[in-house]
Amino acid sequence: MTERKIKVETLTRVEGEGGLYVRLQGEQVEEVRLEIYEPPRLFEALLRGRPLEDAPDITARICGICPVAYQMSSVHAMEMALGVEITPEIRRLRRLLYCGEWIESHGLHMHLLHAPDFLGFESGLAMAKQFPDEVNRGLRLKKHGNQLVDLLGGRAIHPVNVCVGGFYRIPSRNEFQKLVPDFEWGLNAAIETTRWVAGFEYPELESDCEFVSLSHPDEYPMNEGVMQTSSGDQIEISNYRDEFQEQQVPHSTALHAIRKTTGRPYLLGPLSRVNLNRDRLSPAARKLADEIAFEPECRNPHRAIIARGLELVHSYEEALQILRDEHSTKEPRMTYEYQAGVGMSATEAPRGTLFHRYEIDTEGKIVEADIIPPTSQNQAQIEVDLKAWVGQVIEKEESQAARLCENLVRAYDPCISCSTHFLNVTIERS
Amino acid sequence: MCKPRLAVFKFASCDGCQLSLLDAEDHLLAVADAVEIVYFPEATSHMEEGPYDIALVEGSITTPHDAERIQQIRKDARFLMTIGACATAGGIQALRNWADKDEFMQAVYATPEYIQVLETSTPIAEHVQVDFELRGCPINQYQLIEVIRSLLAGQTPRTPRHSVCLDCKRRGTVCVTVAQGTACLGPVTQSGCHALCPSYNRGCYGCFGPALQANLVSLSAQMEREGASKAEIAHKLKNFNAYAPAFRTESTRLVQLEGDQRR
């Protein structure tokens, strides 16, 4: 039997640096590796000994695309350790900030990173010549997300306005309302975008993964809830570390995340969130999901771009509601006294659940930090799905098969800088 | 005439600085038109080998492999510009430069021996000659566009080196230190953020690194008079630009002084 290898040296249109390695023996897929060679930056180690107030600023630097998720998970965890109760107004504004990040990240991923795969272009920029309206719309949607994070967070990349207890300053009602006309346009454009991507041609692929996401009784999950799984389990955040476990697998030196109870990988992200919380999407997003006949439990990872579109619509609708609101926020932030303790929190980054846990001492210093980013948790599931997918594209010529594999990896919107916690080292086998 | 060939490279970093280019929505298509983007993995699957006219480099050098990779990029690039605090000053990950790297690795990885990393996280300029350094964590996208524009026009790029304080005055932001006693690195930090943090009611935390002629010793003394301990001030300097010479020297001095006092 002949041995074949499919290699993608550098994954493109993803955040961070990684590669892909597939080994075939005849028609058999012997090995699939998502290789992450992003250098480790050792955040958990360098956080130790620093003031707890540094956590939102420093952990934001783990990722330039989803800094809000890092800031939100860290402030919630610190507040739990300190016993701080935030006001409903601060909570709403945190959701608004999160909407900004979802709009920015989903807008970018859908138009500039993922859509080119379906339309046969090497980039969004190259796509602009033939699809100028769509690319310009994407840039404008992304800009809205940035504008919102800019206003409430101070700047779009590594916002400065988030702190333990709330915000340093709350923008005026007038500043919020200035965004309303743009966001009204954006809501319609997001609906158009979702209809557009729903019309793409999707390859068949069934993932048998377990879907996992935060879930909240009355709202679409973003910054609070329990971990809901498609097999019906509900897991309190305080049990996160017991239920989701990093494990070493025989074929790789990388740590992979699995469910402890089943020993199997799981999937986080927009597909999981929509599958598990569809009834809590905003009215326009729910109506749209029905209109485009989005499956009640979509198992095709290629179609995650549609789930992303539904979340884009949701984010616009929820953001508009908050932007139009009368803001009566007298207290931008809650005060606190230092006390030793442990705090943890999970929030929904655009690409999946992000877990933080901190131990702090009586002087407000970080003793231990633990961060589990979504991409490292998705890594094992991506490999499982790739294995199935390789079986389908095995007939294709080498470079085309490699391209099709890369397309699938992009469907998960992996955030590799975040995931270096789980650095993968290749060992060649003959 | 051939368009200048632009390449974007990443080392240890968060991707935020190269994202600034994609975030320049209003200018992005114009930039893409003015240059030929021949290597930019975050944005395009189209990849060409060098030589490059302009190489933008994000991230710091933290692995033996990356220490080699930057040498080749230097050979391939006519004009090499670092973008951001990681590439220019070693980034937040340079905090390992004061620590035991092996202990750091053990704290994060179950099997640290599988992963090769250097003892230090260092700026690009410690490895190869750099033609221009664009500061910031993250960089300012308008500065990036302006620097690319001036390169295309054959001009030497410039960015202001004055301190954040001047920008606060221009904006009409009331000084957070004078009015509220908030510790602020504005007097010693380079302009570039439009004096952002004070306008959000907090002290500057030094994203753009030391300003030209920053007087760190004087600022530390002032912060101490206002009640901050040497250790607290050192923590403020040991941030995203911790390894930038002026910040590095002063935080080391403070830590040493504190040690002497304890003895």
Side-chain angles (χ1 to χ4, degrees):
Chain A
M1 279 201 290
T2 53
E3 188 178 91
R4 284 173 69 199
K5 283 178 188 155
I6 299 173
K7 231 174 145 53
V8 177
E9 298 281 354
T10 306
L11 286 165
T12 57
R13 284 182 275 133
V14 297
E15 197 274 345
E17 306 242 302
L20 189 64
Y21 176 82
V22 178
R23 191 161 54 83
L24 309 157
Q25 192 73 43
E27 297 297 296
Q28 278 305 104
V29 185
E30 293 275 309
E31 195 183 5
V32 171
R33 289 196 306 247
L34 179 61
E35 292 178 344
I36 290 176
Y37 50 78
E38 176 85 23
R41 287 181 293 154
L42 312 174
F43 274 89
E44 284 121 320
L46 63 84
L47 279 164
R48 292 171 310 173
R50 296 193 66 103
L52 68 91
E53 287 82 3
D54 285 359
D57 292 327
I58 290 182
T59 59
R61 266 69 183 185
I62 292 175
C63 180
I65 294 190
C66 48
V68 170
Y70 282 91
Q71 297 198 320
M72 290 299 107
S73 285
S74 67
V75 292
H76 280 294
M78 291 303 179
E79 285 157 12
M80 178 184 164
L82 296 163
V84 176
E85 292 265 335
I86 55 161
T87 61
E89 287 81 15
I90 291 171
R91 192 176 183 285
R92 272 163 75 74
L93 289 176
R94 284 184 174 170
R95 276 185 78 85
L96 180 63
L97 187 63
Y98 230 133
C99 286
E101 177 154 290
W102 278 18
I103 291 170
E104 183 271 332
S105 181
H106 284 353
L108 169 74
H109 188 261
M110 294 175 74
H111 292 86
L112 293 178
L113 308 185
H114 203 194
D117 283 341
F118 296 97
L119 302 169
F121 293 92
E122 58 205 12
S123 71
L125 299 172
M127 204 170 85
K129 296 209 167 48
Q130 249 177 282
F131 292 89
D133 295 346
E134 286 81 358
V135 172
N136 278 313
R137 178 182 64 202
L139 289 171
R140 202 164 156 192
L141 295 182
K142 194 169 91 59
K143 189 175 173 182
H144 289 165
N146 281 341
Q147 281 174 324
L148 183 50
V149 180
D150 220 20
L151 171 64
L152 188 50
R155 69 182 161 200
I157 301 170
H158 306 329
V160 303
N161 194 25
V162 168
C163 60
V164 178
F167 295 92
Y168 288 98
R169 170 172 84 81
I170 295 192
S172 69
R173 186 163 180 255
N174 191 27
E175 285 176 281
F176 283 118
Q177 295 207 323
K178 269 191 200 154
L179 293 179
V180 168
D182 272 350
F183 274 63
E184 283 170 343
W185 179 90
L187 175 58
N188 286 321
I191 293 170
E192 277 311 304
T193 291
T194 312
R195 287 192 185 124
W196 177 57
V197 300
F200 290 168
E201 215 174 290
Y202 290 93
E204 292 290 325
L205 182 66
E206 278 274 295
S207 171
D208 67 347
C209 64
E210 183 177 23
F211 297 108
V212 178
S213 88
L214 277 177
S215 196
H216 186 277
D218 337 297
E219 59 192 22
Y220 197 72
M222 217 171 243
N223 51 358
E224 224 174 273
V226 296
M227 295 301 283
Q228 175 76 48
T229 77
S230 53
S231 52
D233 296 337
Q234 288 206 332
I235 300 150
E236 294 293 331
I237 301 305
S238 50
N239 295 332
Y240 203 96
R241 267 302 192 184
D242 304 322
E243 293 280 341
F244 304 101
Q245 195 190 31
E246 299 127 36
Q247 208 185 47
Q248 213 147 7
V249 289
H251 74 269
S252 162
T253 55
L255 295 172
H256 281 200
I258 52 155
R259 283 295 306 281
K260 210 172 178 179
T261 41
T262 59
R264 298 186 59 203
Y266 54 97
L267 185 77
L268 304 171
L271 208 52
S272 297
R273 285 193 296 253
V274 171
N275 281 343
L276 296 168
N277 306 279
R278 181 159 167 165
D279 57 340
R280 272 144 289 169
L281 277 168
S282 70
R286 220 176 324 146
K287 190 166 151 247
L288 183 62
D290 295 340
E291 177 206 305
I292 58 173
F294 191 69
E295 308 90 303
E297 192 183 65
C298 176
R299 293 203 155 265
N300 185 346
H302 290 290
R303 291 170 70 79
I305 188 172
I306 307 174
R308 224 162 260 132
L310 295 171
E311 289 191 337
L312 188 65
V313 174
H314 174 95
S315 305
Y316 267 107
E317 211 173 6
E318 179 161 352
L320 267 171
Q321 207 181 14
I322 304 172
L323 288 171
R324 286 191 185 116
D325 234 30
E326 290 281 347
H327 297 288
S328 55
T329 31
K330 284 158 245 116
E331 289 297 318
R333 67 176 180 271
M334 316 310 291
T335 54
Y336 50 83
E337 302 280 328
Y338 290 141
Q339 63 179 49
V342 172
M344 57 200 95
S345 163
T347 69
E348 286 291 336
R351 41 200 61 73
T353 319
L354 166 65
F355 175 82
H356 286 219
R357 180 189 179 276
Y358 300 94
E359 195 184 325
I360 56 171
D361 69 13
T362 49
E363 288 170 12
K365 296 264 175 16
I366 299 169
V367 179
E368 285 288 336
D370 186 12
I371 296 165
I372 319 184
T375 295
S376 53
Q377 299 181 74
N378 276 343
Q379 197 183 327
Q381 187 59 48
I382 296 175
E383 287 189 356
V384 170
D385 291 346
L386 263 169
K387 214 163 178 177
W389 180 231
V390 170
Q392 273 174 247
V393 301
I394 204 164
E395 301 296 322
K396 310 267 183 204
E397 175 265 322
E398 217 71 26
S399 65
Q400 212 198 340
R403 194 175 59 78
L404 289 169
C405 287
E406 206 185 349
N407 288 359
L408 178 63
V409 175
R410 263 196 294 274
Y412 303 89
D413 190 13
C415 203
I416 298 176
S417 292
C418 300
S419 69
T420 52
H421 191 76
F422 298 88
L423 191 85
N424 204 338
V425 181
T426 310
I427 299 171
E428 288 285 343
R429 294 197 304 189
S430 60
Chain B
M1 202 184 87
C2 283
K3 286 182 190 173
R5 291 160 59 84
L6 177 84
V8 184
F9 297 93
K10 176 184 149 66
F11 291 84
S13 66
C14 76
D15 264 43
C17 290
Q18 48 180 311
L19 181 66
S20 297
L21 192 55
L22 295 180
D23 274 355
E25 295 92 357
D26 298 335
H27 309 277
L28 182 61
L29 296 179
V31 171
D33 242 10
V35 297
E36 200 185 338
I37 298 175
V38 292
Y39 189 90
F40 187 3
E42 192 185 24
T44 171
S45 304
H46 177 80
M47 287 184 282
E48 287 181 27
E49 289 188 359
Y52 309 110
D53 292 300
I54 304 172
L56 306 181
V57 178
E58 177 189 283
S60 65
I61 304 295
T62 59
T63 68
H65 173 71
D66 281 353
E68 282 172 31
R69 193 160 61 100
I70 190 63
Q71 299 295 336
Q72 187 58 45
I73 292 169
R74 176 67 272 187
K75 280 184 199 137
D76 285 346
R78 192 157 66 85
F79 188 94
L80 188 154
M81 168 157 86
T82 61
I83 52 171
C86 295
T88 305
I92 186 74
Q93 56 272 16
L95 291 181
R96 79 160 70 147
N97 301 359
W98 283 271
D100 172 0
K101 179 263 296 174
D102 291 330
E103 193 277 320
F104 260 39
M105 288 292 285
Q106 270 157 19
V108 179
Y109 291 97
T111 48
E113 56 275 21
Y114 289 130
I115 300 157
Q116 274 206 313
V117 294
L118 297 171
E119 292 292 327
T120 52
S121 167
T122 41
I124 302 299
E126 284 206 11
H127 299 261
V128 295
Q129 197 218 318
V130 171
D131 299 307
F132 189 78
E133 292 181 326
L134 190 63
R135 306 265 206 98
C137 180
I139 55 166
N140 173 328
Q141 56 161 283
Y142 298 103
Q143 287 193 348
L144 177 65
I145 299 291
E146 169 56 20
V147 169
I148 293 176
R149 190 206 59 77
S150 63
L151 282 175
L152 296 179
Q155 296 160 348
T156 309
R158 299 169 76 94
T159 43
R161 298 292 314 270
H162 62 258
S163 83
V164 168
C165 286
L166 211 62
D167 296 339
C168 257
K169 304 293 170 287
R170 281 191 186 134
R171 272 185 89 140
T173 304
V174 176
C175 177
V176 292
T177 302
V178 173
Q180 302 169 28
T182 304
C184 179
L185 291 183
V188 296
T189 299
Q190 183 183 297
S191 154
C193 62
H194 196 42
L196 181 65
C197 286
S199 79
Y200 275 82
N201 222 1
R202 70 179 288 194
C204 162
Y205 59 100
C207 294
F208 276 72
L212 196 67
Q213 296 174 323
N215 189 339
L216 273 295
V217 178
S218 167
L219 183 70
S220 302
Q222 179 59 30
M223 283 182 173
E224 275 200 85
R225 278 194 290 276
E226 281 162 19
S229 71
K230 289 186 173 65
E232 283 165 357
I233 303 164
H235 260 140
K236 287 194 186 305
L237 297 171
K238 281 185 170 180
N239 223 325
F240 312 105
N241 288 283
Y243 212 54
F247 284 5
R248 190 196 331 172
T249 308
E250 179 60 3
S251 69
T252 307
R253 185 186 76 95
L254 289 167
V255 170
Q256 212 160 22
L257 278 177
E258 206 204 12
D260 291 346
Q261 278 171 2
R262 278 196 188 156
R263 236 172 266 138

